[in-house]
Amino acid sequence: MTAASNRIAIIIDPALPAGLLANTIAGIAIGLGAARPELGAVALTDAAGRSTATITNLPVPVLQAPAEVIRSLLLKALPAPEEATVVPFPGFARSLHVFADYVAAFPTRDLGTETIDGFGLLGPDKWVRSLTGSLKLLR
């Protein structure tokens, strides 16, 4: 997989309060990066010798859609193509403050009936565009 043939998009419900909006975007971005380290697992060192990790090597547009559209798009995205990654942020995750509890609860929930605050996509350009082409940037 090459970066040039792939696209990222994060789709978020703009009705979320600013703090939850930021938290949802951050959680989705971390999930994408953890699933796909080729997005930026590069160490960089500045001229003064300070080392850091890099940002992603692909643009990350944050798009907006109402909750019902988000759920519909997520269900269209799943099952994802083999070379793609989908990271949902279901609303019930907010009530769980221990990751192991989220992992345990997830298999008992149906994403088709859950409120989905947002989700991230990484995959073939054409696939991502087919799902997100009509969405506007979050402003």
Side-chain angles (χ1 to χ4, degrees), residues 11 55 105 113 127:
I11 301 93
I55 60 173
T113 62
W127 177 71

Side-chain angles (χ1 to χ4, degrees), residues 10-105:
I10 294 177
I11 301 93
I12 193 83
D13 182 350
L16 292 170
L20 296 182
L21 195 76
N23 176 261
T24 302
I25 294 167
I28 291 167
I30 289 170
L32 287 169
R36 303 291 287 274
E38 70 272 13
L39 289 176
V42 176
L44 299 174
T45 303
D46 75 1
R50 293 178 289 257
S51 295
T52 69
T54 185
I55 60 173
T56 182
N57 59 16
L58 288 174
V60 184
V62 178
L63 308 171
Q64 62 179 319
E68 61 276 2
V69 172
I70 289 174
R71 184 185 315 111
S72 174
L73 289 173
L74 175 63
L75 296 176
K76 286 180 184 176
L78 296 171
E82 184 177 325
E83 66 277 17
T85 301
V86 177
V87 177
F89 196 116
F92 76 84
R94 291 204 195 286
S95 66
L96 304 171
H97 302 289
V98 176
F99 183 70
D101 294 343
Y102 173 71
V103 170

Side-chain angles (χ1 to χ4, degrees), residues 106-129:
F106 195 92
T108 69
R109 307 302 279 252
D110 178 357
L111 293 176
T113 62
E114 294 290 338
T115 298
I116 308 296
D117 291 342
F119 72 100
L121 298 169
L122 170 63
D125 182 81
K126 184 176 179 180
W127 177 71
V128 173
R129 283 183 190 267

